[in-house]
Structure formats: C-alpha cells, structure tokens
Amino acid sequence: ELKVEQNPLFLSMQEGKNYTIYCNYSTTSDRLYWYRQDPGKSLESLFVLLSNGAVKQEGRLMASLDTKARLSTLHITAAVHDLSATYFCAVPRAPGTASKLTFGTGTRLQVTL
Amino acid sequence: GAVVSQHPSRVICKSGTSVKIECRSLDFQATTMFWYRQFPKQSLMLMATSNEGSKATYEQGVEKDKFLINHASLTLSTLTVTSAHPEDSSFYICSARTDGRHTEAFFGQGTRLTVV
C-alpha cells in the first residue's frame, strides 16, 4: 500500500528565512505533484514533477524529485507572509498517470512577520 | 489549464436527507473523475473513481450505497450523499484528468457539506 509522508507537519517561520519541506513515499513512482491549499479552499497546483531529477521553480518555491530515494523536496526561499498555507504532495497509485492520488499528510506553513 | 467546476460550494442539510454534488469539466472531456473527502485539518482521501458509462469503483471502507456516483456524460459526474448524518460533514473535492494528457489532474473548488 502506498504511503506518503511529509515533514514537518507544521512549520512556523519568519519572513525572509529559508526552509525545506520533505515528502517521502513508499512505493515506486515516476511522478509527484505539489499542491497548495488555503483555508476553506480547494487545491491549487504548484508543481508537476515527471521524472527523476526534475527540478522546477516558481517564485520563492522550488521543488525537486528523486525517484530512486522516493523523496521530493519543496524549498522555500526568503519566505513571505503570502506563502502561509497548507502544502500537500501527492503520488499517483498507478505509474504513468495522474489517477488516484495518494496525498501526503500536509504541511501547514505559517510565515510570521 | 483545464477547468473543473463543482457545485454547490457549500450546503447545509438535515440529518436523514440526501445531497447531490456536481462536478463538471468545462473545457475538456473526462471519462474518469475522482472524488476525494477531506476532514478538518486532515489530508485528502480518495473515495471513489467515477467512470463515464459504467459503475464507479469505491475505495475500501467507502459505502457505495451511501455515496452514489453517476457519471452520465463526458463532462459531468455527480456524488449523492444519501441519508446524510453529522459524521458525513466534510469537504468533498472532485478532480478530473484530461483524457489525452494524463500528466495532471485538475480539481474542483470543493463542496463544504454540513449535516445538522
């Protein structure tokens, strides 16, 4: 059974600081997704990582995927308050598709002024 | 990106009644859609896979008679929560993937169901 774990579960950080969120998964997968969720809202797609070694950056967020280690990271550079949200990674149960996602536990990020 | 529209965004119903939630793919056809449930401060859990023209497949522990899924067209899937109880109160989110491009799933806005 596929298990997806994130750490930390909660992260409080000051504006301007850097930090990394980790996502580990238990079975082989060729892809991984990162989403952002604001309170009371649905998911916003952040990154689609489709191969080993994939690295994508958008603004202050950068995501990477190591399929051999079954590990993805979401790095936050010089955090700002607007990044406060819950971040989820997700892995598809079947390789090669975006079907039947198993979500990580989520990391609630709070950026303080 | 492709757009998935979910309706209603929030609903309050009395115990014992049924509630229908719609999920539409607005600018693409989706033979497969997915229904997830999220309890407060928890992650999303897949409930079922909705297949156009055939029966839905349910995850272990999800009662198919309680959560009725109908995928009658290539752009619409509905989830009906029958005989709702307070423990069914949750955030329900649908997603769809484009058939010709399986790299990404697109999510609806979610439906906040409160059963009183």
Side-chain angles (χ1 to χ4, degrees):
Chain A
E1 181 191 346
L2 172 61
K3 286 185 171 30
V4 183
E5 294 182 349
Q6 285 178 239
N7 71 83
L9 297 183
F10 177 71
L11 175 57
S12 179
M13 58 190 297
Q14 288 183 321
E15 274 201 335
K17 299 292 187 183
N18 305 331
Y19 210 84
T20 300
I21 298 171
Y22 296 89
C23 173
N24 291 90
Y25 53 98
S26 61
T27 63
T28 301
S29 179
D30 63 344
R31 62 193 59 205
L32 185 139
Y33 304 86
W34 282 98
Y35 296 94
R36 167 182 171 144
Q37 186 178 38
D38 291 298
K41 304 289 187 184
S42 187
L43 301 180
E44 174 190 348
S45 178
L46 293 176
F47 298 107
V48 179
L49 303 170
L50 295 176
S51 61
N52 184 40
V55 177
K56 290 197 174 179
Q57 182 163 4
E58 182 72 35
R60 300 175 189 274
L61 301 178
M62 183 172 70
S64 66
L65 177 62
D66 182 341
T67 58
K68 293 179 182 176
R70 298 177 187 169
L71 170 68
S72 179
T73 61
L74 180 66
H75 186 73
I76 303 152
T77 302
V80 293
H81 182 68
D82 286 351
L83 290 179
S84 297
T86 299
Y87 293 85
F88 291 98
C89 61
V91 177
R93 202 178 296 174
T97 77
S99 304
K100 298 188 178 183
L101 297 177
T102 296
F103 284 83
T105 43
T107 297
R108 188 158 75 91
L109 173 65
Q110 184 177 66
V111 181
T112 57
L113 298 171
Chain B
V3 178
V4 176
S5 177
Q6 199 173 330
H7 178 79
S9 58
R10 68 178 60 231
V11 58
I12 301 173
C13 71
K14 293 184 177 179
S15 281
T17 61
S18 296
V19 172
K20 182 186 284 188
I21 303 169
E22 292 187 349
C23 179
R24 292 180 187 274
S25 56
L26 295 187
D27 50 0
F28 66 100
Q29 294 183 333
T31 55
T32 307
M33 294 185 178
F34 306 93
W35 288 95
Y36 294 85
R37 179 168 55 184
Q38 184 181 33
F39 291 110
K41 299 195 186 304
Q42 293 188 25
S43 188
L44 284 78
M45 298 293 289
L46 179 66
M47 297 176 65
T49 301
S50 173
N51 304 296
E52 187 268 335
S54 64
K55 290 184 180 180
T57 53
Y58 292 81
E59 296 300 301
Q60 192 171 9
V62 178
E63 298 175 59
K64 62 179 181 181
D65 294 331
K66 181 166 185 63
F67 299 100
L68 299 179
I69 291 173
N70 187 318
H71 194 149
S73 78
L74 286 172
T75 59
L76 173 64
S77 173
T78 60
L79 168 68
T80 301
V81 183
T82 63
S83 186
H85 290 285
E87 56 265 32
D88 299 323
S89 298
S90 188
F91 193 49
Y92 293 86
I93 308 176
C94 70
S95 81
R97 61 158 204 245
T98 52
D99 287 342
R101 186 166 61 93
H102 290 190
T103 57
E104 192 167 358
F106 300 93
F107 288 84
Q109 306 96 313
T111 298
R112 172 77 55 197
L113 170 64
T114 304
V115 184
V116 298

Tab-separated table of all heavy atoms in Angstrom, chain A residues 31 33 35 37 40-43 45 48 50 88 93 96-106 108, chain B residues 10 34 36 38 41-46 49 57 59 91 93 97 102-105 107-110 112:
chain	number	residue	atom	x	y	z
A	31	ARG	N	6.371	10.009	-10.835
A	31	ARG	CA	5.942	11.402	-10.819
A	31	ARG	C	5.414	11.778	-9.451
A	31	ARG	O	5.063	10.905	-8.646
A	31	ARG	CB	4.869	11.639	-11.864
A	31	ARG	CG	3.611	10.833	-11.644
A	31	ARG	CD	2.734	10.866	-12.876
A	31	ARG	NE	3.437	10.342	-14.036
A	31	ARG	CZ	3.136	10.659	-15.284
A	31	ARG	NH1	2.137	11.488	-15.528
A	31	ARG	NH2	3.800	10.141	-16.285
A	33	TYR	N	3.326	15.315	-7.373
A	33	TYR	CA	2.653	16.606	-7.509
A	33	TYR	C	2.712	17.361	-6.190
A	33	TYR	O	2.637	16.760	-5.111
A	33	TYR	CB	1.181	16.399	-7.890
A	33	TYR	CG	0.991	15.584	-9.146
A	33	TYR	CD1	0.960	14.190	-9.096
A	33	TYR	CD2	0.854	16.207	-10.381
A	33	TYR	CE1	0.795	13.443	-10.246
A	33	TYR	CE2	0.688	15.460	-11.531
A	33	TYR	CZ	0.667	14.081	-11.459
A	33	TYR	OH	0.503	13.342	-12.598
A	35	TYR	N	0.785	20.632	-4.182
A	35	TYR	CA	-0.379	21.498	-4.190
A	35	TYR	C	-0.327	22.424	-2.984
A	35	TYR	O	0.240	22.099	-1.946
A	35	TYR	CB	-1.672	20.681	-4.110
A	35	TYR	CG	-1.907	19.777	-5.291
A	35	TYR	CD1	-1.496	18.438	-5.255
A	35	TYR	CD2	-2.538	20.247	-6.442
A	35	TYR	CE1	-1.701	17.602	-6.329
A	35	TYR	CE2	-2.750	19.410	-7.527
A	35	TYR	CZ	-2.325	18.094	-7.462
A	35	TYR	OH	-2.538	17.261	-8.539
A	37	GLN	N	-3.013	24.608	-0.466
A	37	GLN	CA	-4.412	24.767	-0.071
A	37	GLN	C	-4.527	25.886	0.950
A	37	GLN	O	-3.907	25.836	2.011
A	37	GLN	CB	-4.981	23.461	0.513
A	37	GLN	CG	-6.474	23.548	0.793
A	37	GLN	CD	-7.039	22.253	1.332
A	37	GLN	OE1	-6.406	21.558	2.122
A	37	GLN	NE2	-8.255	21.908	0.901
A	40	GLY	N	-10.270	26.680	3.794
A	40	GLY	CA	-11.599	26.692	3.204
A	40	GLY	C	-11.622	26.598	1.689
A	40	GLY	O	-12.701	26.651	1.086
A	41	LYS	N	-10.467	26.443	1.094
A	41	LYS	CA	-10.392	26.413	-0.369
A	41	LYS	C	-9.960	25.047	-0.874
A	41	LYS	O	-9.537	24.181	-0.102
A	41	LYS	CB	-9.380	27.459	-0.871
A	41	LYS	CG	-9.665	28.865	-0.414
A	41	LYS	CD	-10.877	29.436	-1.082
A	41	LYS	CE	-11.044	30.908	-0.725
A	41	LYS	NZ	-12.301	31.457	-1.316
A	42	SER	N	-10.063	24.887	-2.185
A	42	SER	CA	-9.616	23.651	-2.809
A	42	SER	C	-8.114	23.712	-3.072
A	42	SER	O	-7.414	24.560	-2.531
A	42	SER	CB	-10.396	23.430	-4.114
A	42	SER	OG	-10.097	22.159	-4.649
A	43	LEU	N	-7.641	22.827	-3.910
A	43	LEU	CA	-6.203	22.720	-4.165
A	43	LEU	C	-5.777	23.574	-5.352
A	43	LEU	O	-6.464	23.647	-6.360
A	43	LEU	CB	-5.834	21.264	-4.453
A	43	LEU	CG	-6.144	20.254	-3.368
A	43	LEU	CD1	-5.712	18.869	-3.814
A	43	LEU	CD2	-5.466	20.619	-2.061
A	45	SER	N	-2.643	23.799	-7.960
A	45	SER	CA	-1.487	23.056	-8.430
A	45	SER	C	-0.250	23.950	-8.419
A	45	SER	O	-0.276	25.070	-8.932
A	45	SER	CB	-1.744	22.537	-9.847
A	45	SER	OG	-0.602	21.849	-10.325
A	48	VAL	N	4.318	19.955	-11.092
A	48	VAL	CA	4.158	18.601	-11.605
A	48	VAL	C	5.568	18.110	-11.934
A	48	VAL	O	6.231	18.655	-12.810
A	48	VAL	CB	3.278	18.579	-12.876
A	48	VAL	CG1	3.145	17.154	-13.400
A	48	VAL	CG2	1.907	19.167	-12.580
A	50	LEU	N	7.803	15.128	-13.232
A	50	LEU	CA	7.530	13.951	-14.063
A	50	LEU	C	8.712	13.015	-14.255
A	50	LEU	O	8.571	12.016	-14.968
A	50	LEU	CB	7.003	14.392	-15.428
A	50	LEU	CG	5.659	15.105	-15.398
A	50	LEU	CD1	5.287	15.585	-16.795
A	50	LEU	CD2	4.565	14.182	-14.864
A	88	PHE	N	0.602	20.203	0.188
A	88	PHE	CA	0.471	18.754	0.073
A	88	PHE	C	1.302	18.253	-1.100
A	88	PHE	O	1.301	18.863	-2.171
A	88	PHE	CB	-0.983	18.349	-0.201
A	88	PHE	CG	-1.919	18.568	0.943
A	88	PHE	CD1	-2.712	19.704	1.008
A	88	PHE	CD2	-2.042	17.622	1.946
A	88	PHE	CE1	-3.592	19.909	2.060
A	88	PHE	CE2	-2.917	17.803	3.000
A	88	PHE	CZ	-3.694	18.950	3.063
A	93	ARG	N	-1.279	6.381	-7.630
A	93	ARG	CA	-1.184	4.975	-7.261
A	93	ARG	C	-0.642	4.150	-8.422
A	93	ARG	O	0.057	3.153	-8.227
A	93	ARG	CB	-2.558	4.466	-6.850
A	93	ARG	CG	-2.532	3.255	-5.976
A	93	ARG	CD	-3.925	2.868	-5.586
A	93	ARG	NE	-4.589	3.876	-4.766
A	93	ARG	CZ	-5.858	3.796	-4.406
A	93	ARG	NH1	-6.606	2.797	-4.791
A	93	ARG	NH2	-6.397	4.752	-3.662
A	96	GLY	N	2.634	6.489	-14.408
A	96	GLY	CA	2.352	6.998	-15.740
A	96	GLY	C	1.055	7.748	-15.894
A	96	GLY	O	0.690	8.141	-16.992
A	97	THR	N	0.322	7.942	-14.808
A	97	THR	CA	-0.939	8.675	-14.919
A	97	THR	C	-1.070	9.650	-13.762
A	97	THR	O	-0.291	9.625	-12.822
A	97	THR	CB	-2.158	7.742	-14.887
A	97	THR	OG1	-2.395	7.326	-13.528
A	97	THR	CG2	-1.962	6.519	-15.757
A	98	ALA	N	-2.100	10.472	-13.846
A	98	ALA	CA	-2.421	11.380	-12.739
A	98	ALA	C	-3.635	10.851	-11.982
A	98	ALA	O	-4.364	11.603	-11.359
A	98	ALA	CB	-2.720	12.771	-13.277
A	99	SER	N	-3.849	9.558	-12.041
A	99	SER	CA	-5.032	8.983	-11.429
A	99	SER	C	-4.811	8.628	-9.974
A	99	SER	O	-3.701	8.355	-9.556
A	99	SER	CB	-5.416	7.706	-12.166
A	99	SER	OG	-5.613	7.953	-13.529
A	100	LYS	N	-5.926	8.575	-9.249
A	100	LYS	CA	-5.934	8.029	-7.895
A	100	LYS	C	-4.737	8.479	-7.071
A	100	LYS	O	-3.837	7.704	-6.760
A	100	LYS	CB	-5.987	6.502	-7.949
A	100	LYS	CG	-7.235	5.974	-8.603
A	100	LYS	CD	-7.346	4.460	-8.469
A	100	LYS	CE	-8.628	3.974	-9.098
A	100	LYS	NZ	-8.822	2.510	-8.919
A	101	LEU	N	-4.752	9.742	-6.741
A	101	LEU	CA	-3.640	10.302	-5.987
A	101	LEU	C	-3.719	9.935	-4.510
A	101	LEU	O	-4.789	9.976	-3.897
A	101	LEU	CB	-3.621	11.819	-6.129
A	101	LEU	CG	-3.407	12.355	-7.552
A	101	LEU	CD1	-3.473	13.871	-7.557
A	101	LEU	CD2	-2.081	11.880	-8.114
A	102	THR	N	-2.573	9.588	-3.965
A	102	THR	CA	-2.441	9.436	-2.515
A	102	THR	C	-1.714	10.675	-2.023
A	102	THR	O	-0.601	10.970	-2.475
A	102	THR	CB	-1.654	8.173	-2.154
A	102	THR	OG1	-2.386	7.025	-2.602
A	102	THR	CG2	-1.465	8.075	-0.638
A	103	PHE	N	-2.358	11.381	-1.108
A	103	PHE	CA	-1.813	12.644	-0.625
A	103	PHE	C	-0.974	12.441	0.622
A	103	PHE	O	-1.233	11.550	1.439
A	103	PHE	CB	-2.946	13.621	-0.323
A	103	PHE	CG	-3.538	14.228	-1.555
A	103	PHE	CD1	-4.494	13.550	-2.276
A	103	PHE	CD2	-3.133	15.474	-1.978
A	103	PHE	CE1	-5.034	14.107	-3.431
A	103	PHE	CE2	-3.667	16.046	-3.132
A	103	PHE	CZ	-4.627	15.353	-3.855
A	104	GLY	N	0.011	13.288	0.752
A	104	GLY	CA	0.774	13.336	1.981
A	104	GLY	C	-0.050	13.925	3.101
A	104	GLY	O	-1.176	14.397	2.907
A	105	THR	N	0.515	13.898	4.272
A	105	THR	CA	-0.168	14.366	5.472
A	105	THR	C	-0.391	15.867	5.489
A	105	THR	O	-1.218	16.361	6.226
A	105	THR	CB	0.644	13.968	6.707
A	105	THR	OG1	2.030	14.224	6.432
A	105	THR	CG2	0.487	12.486	7.003
A	106	GLY	N	0.354	16.582	4.659
A	106	GLY	CA	0.212	18.036	4.611
A	106	GLY	C	1.184	18.731	5.551
A	106	GLY	O	1.495	18.211	6.631
A	108	ARG	N	1.486	22.454	7.295
A	108	ARG	CA	0.874	23.780	7.477
A	108	ARG	C	1.985	24.775	7.721
A	108	ARG	O	2.713	24.686	8.713
A	108	ARG	CB	-0.115	23.771	8.626
A	108	ARG	CG	-0.909	25.078	8.726
A	108	ARG	CD	-2.209	24.875	9.486
A	108	ARG	NE	-2.010	24.743	10.915
A	108	ARG	CZ	-2.031	25.748	11.784
A	108	ARG	NH1	-2.208	26.975	11.355
A	108	ARG	NH2	-1.864	25.526	13.067
B	10	ARG	N	-21.036	25.231	-0.932
B	10	ARG	CA	-21.337	24.812	0.430
B	10	ARG	C	-22.817	24.491	0.560
B	10	ARG	O	-23.648	25.081	-0.130
B	10	ARG	CB	-20.888	25.830	1.466
B	10	ARG	CG	-21.603	27.132	1.516
B	10	ARG	CD	-21.066	28.014	2.651
B	10	ARG	NE	-19.657	28.309	2.513
B	10	ARG	CZ	-18.767	28.134	3.498
B	10	ARG	NH1	-19.143	27.667	4.663
B	10	ARG	NH2	-17.501	28.445	3.312
B	34	PHE	N	-12.588	11.771	-10.177
B	34	PHE	CA	-12.263	11.218	-8.859
B	34	PHE	C	-12.908	12.063	-7.777
B	34	PHE	O	-12.961	13.288	-7.870
B	34	PHE	CB	-10.742	11.200	-8.653
B	34	PHE	CG	-10.001	10.492	-9.746
B	34	PHE	CD1	-9.509	11.200	-10.829
B	34	PHE	CD2	-9.820	9.120	-9.703
B	34	PHE	CE1	-8.846	10.555	-11.858
B	34	PHE	CE2	-9.159	8.467	-10.730
B	34	PHE	CZ	-8.678	9.186	-11.811
B	36	TYR	N	-12.790	12.970	-3.719
B	36	TYR	CA	-11.988	12.936	-2.500
B	36	TYR	C	-12.791	13.552	-1.362
B	36	TYR	O	-13.679	14.381	-1.569
B	36	TYR	CB	-10.689	13.738	-2.675
B	36	TYR	CG	-9.722	13.177	-3.684
B	36	TYR	CD1	-9.848	13.479	-5.041
B	36	TYR	CD2	-8.671	12.349	-3.290
B	36	TYR	CE1	-8.968	12.960	-5.975
B	36	TYR	CE2	-7.772	11.838	-4.219
B	36	TYR	CZ	-7.927	12.152	-5.552
B	36	TYR	OH	-7.040	11.643	-6.475
B	38	GLN	N	-12.168	15.366	2.578
B	38	GLN	CA	-11.169	15.932	3.486
B	38	GLN	C	-11.854	16.374	4.770
B	38	GLN	O	-12.695	17.289	4.754
B	38	GLN	CB	-10.466	17.122	2.829
B	38	GLN	CG	-9.338	17.699	3.674
B	38	GLN	CD	-8.670	18.892	3.011
B	38	GLN	OE1	-9.303	19.661	2.304
B	38	GLN	NE2	-7.377	19.055	3.252
B	41	LYS	N	-8.554	19.764	9.047
B	41	LYS	CA	-7.135	19.642	9.413
B	41	LYS	C	-6.533	18.277	9.054
B	41	LYS	O	-5.535	17.862	9.647
B	41	LYS	CB	-6.940	19.921	10.901
B	41	LYS	CG	-7.379	21.334	11.303
B	41	LYS	CD	-6.850	21.709	12.649
B	41	LYS	CE	-7.411	23.044	13.111
B	41	LYS	NZ	-7.169	24.131	12.162
B	42	GLN	N	-7.132	17.611	8.097
B	42	GLN	CA	-6.579	16.343	7.643
B	42	GLN	C	-6.267	16.410	6.148
B	42	GLN	O	-6.541	17.406	5.478
B	42	GLN	CB	-7.561	15.197	7.926
B	42	GLN	CG	-7.741	14.932	9.412
B	42	GLN	CD	-8.550	13.676	9.671
B	42	GLN	OE1	-8.592	12.765	8.847
B	42	GLN	NE2	-9.195	13.621	10.822
B	43	SER	N	-5.700	15.334	5.663
B	43	SER	CA	-5.356	15.266	4.251
B	43	SER	C	-6.568	14.842	3.422
B	43	SER	O	-7.648	14.591	3.960
B	43	SER	CB	-4.204	14.283	4.058
B	43	SER	OG	-3.728	14.332	2.731
B	44	LEU	N	-6.376	14.781	2.132
B	44	LEU	CA	-7.442	14.312	1.245
B	44	LEU	C	-7.352	12.800	1.118
B	44	LEU	O	-6.259	12.234	1.000
B	44	LEU	CB	-7.297	14.920	-0.153
B	44	LEU	CG	-7.717	16.358	-0.342
B	44	LEU	CD1	-6.674	17.322	0.182
B	44	LEU	CD2	-7.988	16.640	-1.819
B	45	MET	N	-8.536	12.173	1.104
B	45	MET	CA	-8.594	10.728	0.927
B	45	MET	C	-9.475	10.421	-0.275
B	45	MET	O	-10.594	10.932	-0.387
B	45	MET	CB	-9.190	10.054	2.166
B	45	MET	CG	-8.382	10.266	3.429
B	45	MET	SD	-6.778	9.443	3.375
B	45	MET	CE	-7.289	7.736	3.491
B	46	LEU	N	-8.978	9.574	-1.156
B	46	LEU	CA	-9.763	9.174	-2.312
B	46	LEU	C	-10.946	8.325	-1.866
B	46	LEU	O	-10.782	7.363	-1.110
B	46	LEU	CB	-8.882	8.387	-3.286
B	46	LEU	CG	-9.562	7.872	-4.553
B	46	LEU	CD1	-9.996	9.033	-5.447
B	46	LEU	CD2	-8.621	6.947	-5.326
B	49	THR	N	-13.661	6.341	-7.766
B	49	THR	CA	-13.343	6.717	-9.142
B	49	THR	C	-14.620	6.612	-9.958
B	49	THR	O	-15.285	5.560	-9.959
B	49	THR	CB	-12.279	5.778	-9.720
B	49	THR	OG1	-11.111	5.850	-8.899
B	49	THR	CG2	-11.927	6.164	-11.141
B	57	THR	N	-15.967	2.868	-9.067
B	57	THR	CA	-15.223	1.954	-8.203
B	57	THR	C	-14.916	2.687	-6.905
B	57	THR	O	-14.469	3.835	-6.922
B	57	THR	CB	-13.919	1.485	-8.858
B	57	THR	OG1	-13.163	2.628	-9.274
B	57	THR	CG2	-14.203	0.625	-10.065
B	59	GLU	N	-13.257	3.030	-2.944
B	59	GLU	CA	-12.129	2.645	-2.108
B	59	GLU	C	-12.631	1.813	-0.937
B	59	GLU	O	-13.809	1.882	-0.551
B	59	GLU	CB	-11.394	3.883	-1.603
B	59	GLU	CG	-10.759	4.682	-2.722
B	59	GLU	CD	-9.730	3.876	-3.502
B	59	GLU	OE1	-8.746	3.413	-2.867
B	59	GLU	OE2	-9.898	3.702	-4.723
B	91	PHE	N	-15.392	18.178	3.648
B	91	PHE	CA	-15.115	18.929	2.428
B	91	PHE	C	-14.925	17.899	1.326
B	91	PHE	O	-14.051	17.031	1.431
B	91	PHE	CB	-13.843	19.770	2.646
B	91	PHE	CG	-13.593	20.825	1.609
B	91	PHE	CD1	-14.599	21.700	1.242
B	91	PHE	CD2	-12.349	20.973	1.033
B	91	PHE	CE1	-14.370	22.705	0.307
B	91	PHE	CE2	-12.109	21.974	0.096
B	91	PHE	CZ	-13.111	22.832	-0.269
B	93	ILE	N	-14.125	17.080	-2.619
B	93	ILE	CA	-13.441	17.681	-3.770
B	93	ILE	C	-13.398	16.667	-4.910
B	93	ILE	O	-13.030	15.508	-4.691
B	93	ILE	CB	-11.994	18.087	-3.426
B	93	ILE	CG1	-11.953	18.957	-2.157
B	93	ILE	CG2	-11.345	18.829	-4.579
B	93	ILE	CD1	-10.535	19.301	-1.711
B	97	ARG	N	-9.023	14.280	-14.945
B	97	ARG	CA	-7.821	14.391	-15.748
B	97	ARG	C	-8.255	14.438	-17.206
B	97	ARG	O	-9.288	13.888	-17.574
B	97	ARG	CB	-6.880	13.208	-15.507
B	97	ARG	CG	-7.448	11.869	-15.846
B	97	ARG	CD	-6.373	10.829	-16.109
B	97	ARG	NE	-6.920	9.792	-16.948
B	97	ARG	CZ	-7.080	8.522	-16.572
B	97	ARG	NH1	-6.698	8.145	-15.361
B	97	ARG	NH2	-7.593	7.648	-17.394
B	102	HIS	N	-2.343	12.642	-19.646
B	102	HIS	CA	-2.535	12.098	-18.310
B	102	HIS	C	-1.551	12.625	-17.291
B	102	HIS	O	-1.391	12.046	-16.243
B	102	HIS	CB	-2.409	10.562	-18.374
B	102	HIS	CG	-3.550	9.925	-19.089
B	102	HIS	ND1	-3.746	8.576	-19.100
B	102	HIS	CD2	-4.561	10.440	-19.815
B	102	HIS	CE1	-4.823	8.290	-19.805
B	102	HIS	NE2	-5.329	9.398	-20.245
B	103	THR	N	-0.918	13.736	-17.587
B	103	THR	CA	0.122	14.188	-16.676
B	103	THR	C	-0.405	14.943	-15.473
B	103	THR	O	0.299	15.074	-14.492
B	103	THR	CB	1.112	15.105	-17.413
B	103	THR	OG1	0.388	16.190	-17.978
B	103	THR	CG2	1.848	14.345	-18.478
B	104	GLU	N	-1.619	15.434	-15.555
B	104	GLU	CA	-2.077	16.287	-14.477
B	104	GLU	C	-3.561	16.095	-14.215
B	104	GLU	O	-4.331	15.830	-15.133
B	104	GLU	CB	-1.825	17.745	-14.848
B	104	GLU	CG	-1.991	18.716	-13.701
B	104	GLU	CD	-1.443	20.088	-14.030
B	104	GLU	OE1	-0.903	20.273	-15.139
B	104	GLU	OE2	-1.553	20.979	-13.184
B	105	ALA	N	-3.938	16.221	-12.945
B	105	ALA	CA	-5.345	16.195	-12.566
B	105	ALA	C	-5.753	17.606	-12.166
B	105	ALA	O	-4.965	18.343	-11.589
B	105	ALA	CB	-5.565	15.231	-11.410
B	107	PHE	N	-8.587	20.062	-10.167
B	107	PHE	CA	-9.509	19.947	-9.044
B	107	PHE	C	-10.620	20.980	-9.095
B	107	PHE	O	-10.407	22.118	-9.517
B	107	PHE	CB	-8.729	20.093	-7.728
B	107	PHE	CG	-7.885	18.900	-7.414
B	107	PHE	CD1	-6.625	18.759	-7.955
B	107	PHE	CD2	-8.376	17.891	-6.595
B	107	PHE	CE1	-5.854	17.640	-7.700
B	107	PHE	CE2	-7.609	16.759	-6.329
B	107	PHE	CZ	-6.357	16.640	-6.890
B	108	GLY	N	-11.794	20.554	-8.640
B	108	GLY	CA	-12.903	21.479	-8.479
B	108	GLY	C	-12.691	22.339	-7.251
B	108	GLY	O	-11.726	22.176	-6.499
B	109	GLN	N	-13.621	23.277	-7.038
B	109	GLN	CA	-13.489	24.236	-5.942
B	109	GLN	C	-13.818	23.618	-4.590
B	109	GLN	O	-13.550	24.221	-3.557
B	109	GLN	CB	-14.419	25.441	-6.165
B	109	GLN	CG	-14.232	26.121	-7.504
B	109	GLN	CD	-15.230	25.629	-8.530
B	109	GLN	OE1	-15.449	24.429	-8.693
B	109	GLN	NE2	-15.831	26.573	-9.241
B	110	GLY	N	-14.396	22.420	-4.599
B	110	GLY	CA	-14.757	21.778	-3.341
B	110	GLY	C	-16.158	22.138	-2.878
B	110	GLY	O	-16.691	23.205	-3.210
B	112	ARG	N	-18.334	22.204	0.741
B	112	ARG	CA	-18.364	22.058	2.200
B	112	ARG	C	-19.751	21.582	2.591
B	112	ARG	O	-20.720	22.314	2.446
B	112	ARG	CB	-18.065	23.395	2.872
B	112	ARG	CG	-18.263	23.415	4.380
B	112	ARG	CD	-17.149	22.763	5.122
B	112	ARG	NE	-15.867	23.358	4.775
B	112	ARG	CZ	-14.695	22.776	5.018
B	112	ARG	NH1	-14.646	21.601	5.603
B	112	ARG	NH2	-13.580	23.371	4.678
